[in-house]
Amino acid sequence: QVQLVESGGGLVQAGGSLRLSCAASGRTFSSYAMGWFRQAPGKEREFVAAISWSGGSTYYKDSVKGRFTISRDNAENTVYLQMNSLKPEDTAVYYCAARYGHYSNYAAQYNYWGQGTQVTVSS
């Protein structure tokens, strides 16, 4: 069982930065691949970024490549999403998720989810 708690969301102007954190409970955090997803009002939840259990491999949605960076600290049971050059279209509730094994860009393949944190980017 893994419990996830996101933090770090907020209101920022276009071009600004935010760093999201996701703290995980459990002693087997390092066995889980982690992902960040987002959901804007009226839209389906979409993949943003994922990272392997070791942190050695990462995968990004095309529209965030070069702007967002996913990382993890297995000693601290935490995964991060550094978001730079934010755009109004990045506005959404951001969720972190965990799955045992290889990382994935499919939400249905993740077993555990956090409650989400709101990110709002003003123009």
Side-chain angles (χ1 to χ4, degrees):
Q1 189 78 7
V2 177
Q3 292 184 324
L4 305 172
V5 179
E6 302 97 334
S7 61
L11 173 64
V12 64
Q13 289 188 331
S17 298
L18 283 173
R19 188 193 197 200
L20 305 184
S21 299
C22 174
S25 66
R27 295 176 293 176
T28 59
F29 174 73
S30 61
S31 299
Y32 289 84
M34 300 296 295
W36 284 97
F37 293 78
R38 67 187 181 188
Q39 188 167 18
K43 295 187 177 181
E44 293 187 354
R45 190 169 298 189
E46 65 175 5
F47 169 77
V48 176
I51 189 167
S52 62
W53 63 270
S54 68
S57 298
T58 56
Y59 182 44
Y60 297 93
K61 175 181 174 65
D62 284 346
S63 64
V64 308
K65 285 180 182 177
R67 299 190 298 124
F68 291 10
T69 302
I70 188 171
S71 62
R72 66 190 296 162
D73 184 338
N74 285 343
E76 297 293 329
N77 281 12
T78 302
V79 62
Y80 303 97
L81 185 67
Q82 177 68 45
M83 304 186 295
N84 300 328
S85 303
L86 282 162
K87 304 175 181 180
E89 52 263 42
D90 294 319
T91 295
V93 177
Y94 282 71
Y95 300 88
C96 72
R99 75 180 299 264
Y100 188 79
H102 199 270
Y103 62 80
S104 170
N105 61 333
Y106 293 103
Q109 293 184 351
Y110 284 79
N111 307 104
Y112 304 101
W113 291 84
Q115 83 290 349
T117 185
Q118 176 71 47
V119 171
T120 303
V121 184
S122 63
S123 58

